[in-house]
Amino acid sequence: MSDDLFAAVVANTAVRGQTDDAAVVTVMLRVESALASAQERVGDLDADAAEAVRKACVAAADVDLAALARDTALGGNPVIPLVAEIRRLAGRHADAVHHGATSQDVIDTVLMIMSRESIGTIAGELDRAAASLDALVSDDRLVMGRTLMQHAVPLPLSTKIDGWRRGLADVARRLRAVASSLPVQLGGPVGDGSTLGEHPDDVRAALAETLGLADAPSWHTVRLPVADLASALATASGVVGKVALDVVLMAQAEVAEVREAAEGRGGSSSMPHKSNPIAAISARASARRAPHLAAHLFAQMEQEHERAAGAWHAEWSALVDLLRATGSACWWLAESLTSLEIDLDAVERNR
Amino acid sequence: MSDDLFAAVVANTAVRGQTDDAAVVTVMLRVESALASAQERVGDLDADAAEAVRKACVAAADVDLAALARDTALGGNPVIPLVAEIRRLAGRHADAVHHGATSQDVIDTVLMIMSRESIGTIAGELDRAAASLDALVSDDRLVMGRTLMQHAVPLPLSTKIDGWRRGLADVARRLRAVASSLPVQLGGPVGDGSTLGEHPDDVRAALAETLGLADAPSWHTVRLPVADLASALATASGVVGKVALDVVLMAQAEVAEVREAAEGRGGSSSMPHKSNPIAAISARASARRAPHLAAHLFAQMEQEHERAAGAWHAEWSALVDLLRATGSACWWLAESLTSLEIDLDAVERNR
Amino acid sequence: MSDDLFAAVVANTAVRGQTDDAAVVTVMLRVESALASAQERVGDLDADAAEAVRKACVAAADVDLAALARDTALGGNPVIPLVAEIRRLAGRHADAVHHGATSQDVIDTVLMIMSRESIGTIAGELDRAAASLDALVSDDRLVMGRTLMQHAVPLPLSTKIDGWRRGLADVARRLRAVASSLPVQLGGPVGDGSTLGEHPDDVRAALAETLGLADAPSWHTVRLPVADLASALATASGVVGKVALDVVLMAQAEVAEVREAAEGRGGSSSMPHKSNPIAAISARASARRAPHLAAHLFAQMEQEHERAAGAWHAEWSALVDLLRATGSACWWLAESLTSLEIDLDAVERNR
Amino acid sequence: MSDDLFAAVVANTAVRGQTDDAAVVTVMLRVESALASAQERVGDLDADAAEAVRKACVAAADVDLAALARDTALGGNPVIPLVAEIRRLAGRHADAVHHGATSQDVIDTVLMIMSRESIGTIAGELDRAAASLDALVSDDRLVMGRTLMQHAVPLPLSTKIDGWRRGLADVARRLRAVASSLPVQLGGPVGDGSTLGEHPDDVRAALAETLGLADAPSWHTVRLPVADLASALATASGVVGKVALDVVLMAQAEVAEVREAAEGRGGSSSMPHKSNPIAAISARASARRAPHLAAHLFAQMEQEHERAAGAWHAEWSALVDLLRATGSACWWLAESLTSLEIDLDAVERNR
C-alpha cells in the first residue's frame, strides 16, 4: 500500500527511501550480519558459523515483504519472522543467527542507523537552505521591522536574513551532534547481556564499531537516544517553520517583498493567475507535524520494566514520521530559498 | 513506497485500504463525477457535458499514480494534476470538469467520505469488542478492585467488565454520530459559491445528497468537521487504551487473571516459553498515537483567510493516520477480547 | 503563590475565579453537603446527621488553605484533609460525613461542576463576540479573498464575517451541549456503589439532581466526560484562533483593513507610535494553549483498573488550564471584535 | 489568586517559588538594573543615571502586584507597566531606564534566568534521587526480568537499578549543560541592536556577564534556547516517569517487591488499610505533563518577523509550567526512592 499523494506535500524527502519497508529490511539484515561478525571477532562464533549467517542475511534480502508484514502482526515485531527466515537459510548454522540477541536489540539499532542516515540527508538540506542565503545577505539596505505583525522600525535586511541563516546552521549542527552520538542497542532478552557470551561488552563494542554507531550500555527502556532525536528534529522543524512563515508573510500581495520563482510550481486548480509560494507553504505544513510527533515520543518514555508493553511499539512509525516531516520541511525550505527573488523596490516602498 | 512492517502493529486495520493512494484517487473521481451530476440536476451543465465528465472520471481511474504524486508536489495538492487528466480525457467538454470548484472543495469532501467509511469499519470493530464481553459478564463473582495500583476492596467482575463495555459502546455511538454529520465542502475558490452558477446552494445540496454527506455552508477555513473527527477518534482510542491496559495488567504473571489464547500469536524471538498478550499490547500502542494526532489537528484550526498556507495541507495525512491508529486500536482490542480467557481461580486467589 | 502576571495575557478570564483554590474548596464542600442531603432523602442518613454534615460543611469554609495544600501532598488529593476537617467539625456525626464515598467521587464531581460553570462564562463570551459581528456583516461590499496568503478573487465582506460568526455560534452550542451533559461521579472506593447503602443508584440520582448535573453510572476510569470537555474546549479555541488570526492579518500595516480601537490598549515599551491589536494577539496566544492541553487529557484516558496511579491526578490542573485558556481566548476575542474598526477604503483599495 | 491545592500534587517543587509573580518581578528588576550597569560600563550611561536606575529598581520592588497584573493586560506584557513605574521612581533620569531595550529583551532574559535557577533545583533533586539508589544497588541478587509485562528471565537487581541511576544522572547532566548555555536576549525593538548605542554587542556581553548568562546574538524570533529547555525538561521528565512507573508496578500487591515507607503519606479517604506509593504516583502524574508542554513550546517556534503576534506570549506560562512539572516529578521521585524499601523475599519469590 502506498501513501505517496499526501506524502508529496508533507513527506517530500529522500528520507522516505531511507526509512520505508525496503530500508527496514535492508538495515535489519545489516544488523544481524554485523552481529555475527562482532561475535566472530570476540570469539563467540567460529568463522564458519559467522560466514553462514552473513550469507543467509544476503540471501534473505529476497524475503517476501507481504509475508513478513503478515507475520509481523503475529509476534508484534518484524524481527521474529525475519530471524526465522535467516535461520532457515543458515541451515545447520541456524543457532548462530541472532545469537543471544532479542528483537528489541535489532529494532532499536535499526532505528538508530536509519536516523543517522536520515539526518545526513536532513542536515544536507539545511546546508543548502543556509547557503542559498549568502547571496541575499550581501545587501545592506533596510527592511521594515515588524513586531506583533505591525510596523516597528527598519532594520538591515542582512540582519534579518542572517538571523534565519544562523538558526538553520545551528539546528544542522545540533542534528549532526545527535546523529554522531546515536548508540547501538545490544543487551539480550532483559538487557543485562547475560545471553551474549563471556564478553558481552566487547560484542557490543564490536557491533557498534562495525555499524558506525556509538557504544553505550543497554538503553532498552531508558529511551534517551529517542528523546534526543525527538528534541533535535522538532527543534530543526521549528526553525524551518519560522523562516518559511516569514517567506509566506513577505510574499503576501500587499507586502510583495519576495516571491518564489520556480518553473511550473505554485499553480491553482481554479485561479490560473495565481503564483503561490508553494515551497514555503509545504515547508510550513511539513514542519508543523513535528511538535506533536515529538510529544508522542516523549510520552512513550514511560516504559515498563525490561520491555514496554506498547510504548516501545508506538515509537517506531512516529520516529520515522518525524524524520520524514523534518526532512520534508528542510527540502521544501531549501527549494523555496534557492528560488527566492527579493523585490528591493517593494522592500523600500514598505519601509 | 510501502510502510507495511511497522503498520502491521500500529495501523493494522482495514481503514488502511480505505485511505491509501488508490482510495484517494477513487474518491476524488467519485466527487468530480458527482459534482457534474449535481450541476446537471440543477441545470448548470447539460446532459452531454455531465456524461462526458462522468466518463472521463471512469477513464481517469487508470491514472499513473507515480506521475500524479510527482505533479502533486508542483501545485501543492493532488487535485490539480488529476483535474488536468480528467479534462484531457473529457476532450471538448474539458470546461465542464471541476466546474466552479476549487481543489479544497474536492480534498475536503474526499476526507469526509473517507472518514465516514473508515468510521464504519472502526465502529464495527468496537461492536465486535463489546459483543465479546457479553459472555464474560455473566459471571457474578468478585474480583479484587485496585485503586492507585493497590488492592482496595473487591467488586463484581461483571461490574468491572460492564464498565469496559459501556465505554466501548459509548464511543461507537459518538463515532457514528459524527460520521453521519460530516458535511460536503463546496464553495469555489474563496468559499462564497460565486463560481457555482446561479444556485450554488442547490448544487451543494445535490452533491451532498449524491455522496451521502450532510449539507452545510462552506467550512473551508472554519474546520469544525475535522475537529469533530479528531475529538471522536481520540476519545475512542482513549477508551480502547483503558481496556487494553487493564488486560495487560491482569495478564501479568503475578496476577494471571486473564490470557490471550490466540493460536500462533505472541511469541518471542529470544524466549520461546513466553506468551505475550500481543493483541492488547498492540491495541495500546495504536491507541497511544491518537492524542498527539488530535492535538495536531486542533493546532491546524488556525487557518488564514480563505485557504490556509500550510495548516490545511498539514491536516491530510494526520487525519488519515488518526483514522488508522484508531482503527488499529479497535481491531486489536477486538482480537484481544474475543480470544480472552479468564482464570477464575486466579481471580479468586488474588482477592 | 500567585501567577497573575502571565495569566493576565493567556488566562485573562473570569474562569480563573471559578477554578482557583477558593472555588475548589467551595465546590468540594457543596458536594459533601449535597451528598448528605441525597443520602437523607433516600433514607441512608437520618435528618440530624445530614444537618450536622451540612453545618460542618458551612463551618469548614474557613479551613486553612495553606494547611490544606500541605496535607494534600500527603494523601495525594485535597479531599482527604478536607474530609478530616469536616469530620472534626461534625463531632459525633463524623461518620455521616463523606459517607460511603471516595476521594475520586468528590474531585470528579467538583471538576464537572467547575467545568459547567466555566462553560457558562466561556459561552457567554462567545455570544458577545458573535453578537459584535452583527453590525459588521450588514455591509455587502467586496473584500479580497486570500488563499494560501495570496490574492484570489473578491468575496462579499459579509460572507467572510458570517463564516466567523457561524463558527463562534457553533462552538458555543457545542460547549453548552457538553456542559448540560456533564455527569455526577459517585461510586465509592471501587466504583460499584457497594458502600452507598441499599439504593446506590437513588443516592447518585439525588446527588446529581441537587447539583444540577446529569446522572450516569460511575465513570471513574472511563473518562468520557473529561474527553468531551477536552474536545469541545479545544474545538472552541480552534475557531477563536482562526478569527483572531484573520484580525491580526487584516491589521497588518500593508493591509490595514481593520484596527482595534480600544483606549489605553496595545502600547509598546519602546515604540510609542505603535498600536498593536493586542486583544486579537492575546486571543491567539490563549487559544494556542488548547491543543496540547487537550492532547494531555486524551493521553490520560489510559487509566488503570478502578483508580489510575497518576493519570487521574494529571487531569486536574490540565482541565482547569484548558478551561482558562479557552475562557481567555474567548474574552480577548470578544474584546477585539467589539472594538474593531473596519477601514472600508482600505478594503476597497486592496481588492 | 492561588492554585496551591492541585499544585500540591503536580507542581510540588521549590521551582514554584522561583517562577511565581514575586520571582518574575524580582528578576525583571534585576535585569533592568543590570542593563543600566552594563550601559554604564560601556559608557552609554553616566554614573549618576545608572545609579538612579539601580535605586529605582530597588524601590520598585514594592510595586503593587495587582495593579501590575491589570496593566499587563493593557499592553500585552508586564514589562511595559513595570518600566513606567521604574521611570516614575527614577525621576529626571527616567530616560535612562530600559534604555534602548524592548519588552521582549527583558522577558526573554527573565525566562532564561528563572530557567537556569529552576534547573539548579531540578538537577539537585535528580542527584538526590540517583544517590538514594547507591544503597540499593549493592545487592547482587536476581530479580525477574519482565518484558511486555510478562516474565522473561531474571537479571541482577543491581543491573536494573543501575539503569535507573544512569538515566537520572544522564538527564541531570543534560539539564545542567542547557542551563549553562542559556543566553541573554538584548536586541532592542527589532533585534538589530541599533537603539543600544555605538557598541551594542559590548552592552549585551556586559549584561550577560552581570547576569551569569551566556552571550549570544539576538534570538528574539529564532527560539532555540526555549527549544533546548523544552527538550531537556521533557527528556528528564520522561526518565523520571519510567523509574516511577517501575516503582508503581513493583509495589502492586501481587508483586510487592517494593514499598514506600514514608510516615503519614499515602492514606486513603475511604480505605484506611491502604498504603499507596503516593510519591511515585505523584512523580508519574507530574512527569506526564511534560510531553504536551514541550510540544506546545515547539509549536510556538513559528514566530512572525521580529516579534510574534501570540506565539511569543504563549511561551511564558508553558515554560514555567514545564519547569514546575519537571521539578515536581524529580522532587517526588527523590521522595519515593529515598523512602523505598525492597522486600528481597518477594523479589526471590517472584523469580
Side-chain angles (χ1 to χ4, degrees), chain D residues 116-135:
Chain D
R116 190 196 54 201
E117 296 180 351
S118 297
I119 287 177
T121 300
I122 296 167
E125 294 297 343
L126 286 166
D127 292 347
R128 185 163 72 99
S132 73
L133 296 172
D134 287 348

Side-chain angles (χ1 to χ4, degrees), chain B residues 144 146-153 245 248-249 251-255 257 267 271 273-278 281 284 288 291-292 350, chain D residues 144 146-153 245 248-249 251-255 257 267 271 273-278 281 284 288 291-292 350:
Chain B
M144 177 50 73
R146 296 173 177 100
T147 59
L148 309 178
M149 303 275 268
Q150 294 293 303
H151 278 192
V153 292
L245 174 56
V248 170
L249 290 172
Q252 291 174 101
E254 293 87 354
V255 181
E257 297 179 355
M271 292 166 285
H273 67 281
K274 285 193 66 178
S275 167
N276 299 310
I278 203 67
I281 288 167
R284 274 189 93 192
R288 280 172 158 243
H292 315 89
N350 290 335
Chain D
M144 178 49 74
R146 295 171 177 102
T147 58
L148 308 178
M149 303 275 268
Q150 294 292 304
H151 277 191
V153 292
L245 174 56
V248 170
L249 290 171
Q252 293 174 99
E254 293 87 354
V255 180
E257 297 179 354
M271 292 166 284
H273 66 282
K274 286 193 65 178
S275 166
N276 299 310
I278 202 67
I281 289 167
R284 275 188 93 192
R288 282 174 158 242
H292 316 88
N350 290 334

